[in-house]
Amino acid sequence: MMIVLEGIDGSGKSTHLEFLRRCASARGGEVVLTREPGGCPLAERLRHEVLQTPMDSLTELLLVFAARRAHLAQTVWPALARGACVISDRYVDSTYAYQGGGRGLPWETITQLTTLVEGDWGGPSKVIYFDCPPEVAAARRAGRASTQDQTIALTDRFDAETVAFFDRVRAGYREAAARRGERAVWRLACASS
């Protein structure tokens, strides 16, 4: 089984990842905690480029899918074949939200790339969405950044985006959840800080 947590940074995903890992571990068996973009060496290198290097929207989309294919082939599918439970911080719904909703790229293009990258796999078992107003998420990120070691890079290209961008991302997540139907679990993460 693969469970995915989706939402803008600061919506509560990271807080719940460890809780879900403990719950899954208590049932016995292997649990693999992973993320996108990232989750394997090649995908982590591509993640760095996506987050740090200026690029146009289509290049960003293609790098996200290159990282996803490596992540699936090197981490997710082998873990599922071993019978592990995979819990991922983000998956394809983030692409619909960020590159589709936020950047305005066509959802049809994202769907075509998803079909190409996933093949006949069929995707995750469940997706949990954390809905959070962008202003609240930004305040949480700022609070988190002020408590971290200053040697850690605290910003990326997405941190520089406007509230309007994150409003479009949030709308993209809502549309992705509606399209996913029964395999989606909607959770309202917060209404205020």
Side-chain angles (χ1 to χ4, degrees):
M1 146 179 285
M2 181 178 181
I3 301 169
V4 177
L5 279 66
E6 294 281 11
I8 59 178
D9 285 336
S11 64
K13 293 186 316 333
S14 299
T15 302
H16 290 85
L17 279 170
E18 180 58 25
F19 170 76
L20 280 175
R21 187 201 61 75
R22 285 194 317 269
C23 290
S25 294
R27 302 184 82 170
E30 179 186 6
V31 177
V32 174
L33 200 58
T34 190
R35 69 179 182 177
E36 283 207 358
C40 70
L42 174 57
E44 289 294 332
R45 289 192 302 274
L46 293 172
R47 173 190 180 87
H48 175 78
E49 296 305 322
V50 167
L51 296 179
Q52 301 301 326
T53 304
M55 63 187 71
D56 65 51
S57 298
L58 183 56
T59 301
E60 180 181 290
L61 176 70
L62 294 171
L63 285 176
V64 166
F65 271 103
R68 178 162 299 129
R69 178 62 187 195
H71 181 229
L72 288 170
Q74 296 175 20
T75 302
V76 174
W77 292 335
L80 293 174
R82 294 189 308 269
C85 174
V86 176
I87 302 172
S88 183
D89 182 349
R90 301 191 189 281
Y91 186 62
V92 75
D93 299 68
S94 285
T95 308
Y96 284 110
Y98 279 84
Q99 285 74 42
R103 302 276 189 235
L105 291 172
W107 281 57
E108 297 78 19
T109 302
I110 298 168
T111 300
Q112 290 171 339
L113 288 169
T114 299
T115 301
L116 179 67
V117 166
E118 284 186 348
D120 61 0
W121 174 49
S125 309
K126 287 288 180 191
V127 179
I128 302 170
Y129 296 89
F130 290 83
D131 187 27
C132 186
E135 300 84 357
V136 173
R140 288 179 175 180
R141 288 191 311 272
R144 186 172 60 205
S146 68
T147 63
Q148 291 183 352
D149 181 344
Q150 294 304 309
T151 62
I152 298 172
L154 300 177
T155 61
D156 60 43
R157 291 187 320 114
F158 292 95
D159 290 333
E161 292 293 346
T162 65
V163 170
F165 172 83
F166 285 105
D167 282 334
R168 293 190 307 271
V169 169
R170 185 181 188 197
Y173 273 125
R174 289 178 170 184
E175 185 173 345
R179 289 180 181 215
R180 196 167 279 284
E182 290 182 12
R183 290 193 317 179
V185 176
W186 186 262
R187 181 186 183 285
L188 295 177
C190 63
S192 63
S193 59

